[in-house]
Amino acid sequence: MKAKGPILLLITAVLWGMAFVAQTTASESVQPFTFNAARNFVGALFLCGVIGWRKRTGQDRPAGAPGSGYSKRVLAIAGIACGLLLCTASFLQQAGITSYPSEAAASGRSGFVTATYMVMVAVMGLFLGKRPHPLVFVAVAVALVGMYLLCVPDGLGSVYLGDWLVLGSAFGYALHIIVIDRYTQVDGVRLSRVQLIVAGSISLVCALVLEQPSWAALMAALVPILYAGICSDGIAYTLQIVGQQSTDPTVASIIMSLEAVFAALGGWIILSESLSPVELFGCSLVFAAVLLSQVPEFKRRR
C-alpha cells in the first residue's frame, strides 16, 4: 500500500505538533531534563508493550533473527546514536520553550523555528559530498528572513534566548533524521525503544545532578508527560522511523514539516496563543522555505 508511509508520517506530524502544547504546559511545573526523562521512559515502557504484542502476533523482527536483516550490534549503535541526538535536541527544545516569556506564543513560535531542521538537512548535503541545488540556498535565505520576522518582529531587542535554544534543537533533529536514514534496515519499533531508553537515562542523570525533581512537580505535569511519552515519543518517533522506511525521503520531509502548522494551531486552539501579522508572515516564509528546500530532490526523483 503506497499510501501507508505518508499516512503514518502525517499522523506523526499531528502528534509532534500537538506535543508543543504539552511541552509548553509542562514547562510551568517541571524542569527540562526531568520532563524529558519522564516522557522518554513512559515512551519506552509503552513500546515494551507494543513489542510484547508483536511477539504474540508474530510481527516482531528481533535483531539477529533469521531474515531480520540487522544484528544486535547494529541495533545498539543505531539506538545509542539516535538516543544521544534525541536527548540533546529535546533538551534544547524544552529548555527553549521553558525560557520563553509569558507574552510569547511559545507553542507556535518554537514549532516553526524547529521546522527549519528540514532546510538544515538539505544544506548538510554539502558535508556529505553532495552539491545542493541553487534552490536550496534560496530556501536558506527565505528561512532566515522568515525567522527574523518571527523571532524579532519588533527589532533585535525582541530576540529571546528560547529562539536560539530551539534553533539549536532543530540542528540536532536534522542530524537525527540523517542517522535514521542510515539504519533503515533496523526494526523501527525496537530502534525507537532503544533510543528512548538511552535518551531517558542520560536525561535522568542530568536531572538528578542539575535539577531538583520532585514527585509533586511530576504529578502536576502528569497529563503532558503522558501525552509526550506515549503519543510523541512512543508512537510518533516509531511512526517516523517506520514511515521513512517505506516513503520517498522528499515526500517524508515535506509531510513531517507540517508539525509546525499543527503546533501553531494547537497553541491557538488549546492555549489561546496568538501571533501578530508580522509573526504569521514570518511563519509562512519559514514553512515555504521548508517546502522549497525539498523541490530539487523531488524533481530529481520525478
Side-chain angles (χ1 to χ4, degrees), residues 112 142 145-147 149-150 275-288:
F112 273 95
V142 173
V145 173
M147 286 188 60
L149 295 177
L150 173 62
L275 295 171
S276 69
V278 173
E279 290 173 313
L280 285 173
F281 182 58
C283 288
S284 300
L285 288 180
V286 173
F287 187 59

Side-chain angles (χ1 to χ4, degrees), residues 114-169:
T114 300
T116 59
Y117 68 77
M118 291 300 171
V119 178
M120 296 178 187
V121 169
V123 174
M124 284 178 185
L126 280 171
F127 301 97
L128 297 176
K130 299 179 181 180
R131 186 178 180 83
H133 191 279
L135 275 178
V136 173
F137 297 102
V138 176
V140 172
V142 173
L144 290 175
V145 173
M147 286 188 60
Y148 178 83
L149 295 177
L150 173 62
C151 301
V152 288
D154 301 318
L156 293 176
S158 61
V159 176
Y160 300 124
L161 172 62
D163 296 325
W164 295 109
L165 292 174
V166 176
L167 185 61
S169 78

Side-chain angles (χ1 to χ4, degrees), residues 211-231:
E211 299 176 352
Q212 298 80 40
S214 68
W215 284 111
L218 288 172
M219 290 300 101
L222 182 60
V223 174
I225 288 173
L226 290 176
Y227 178 86
I230 296 175
C231 297

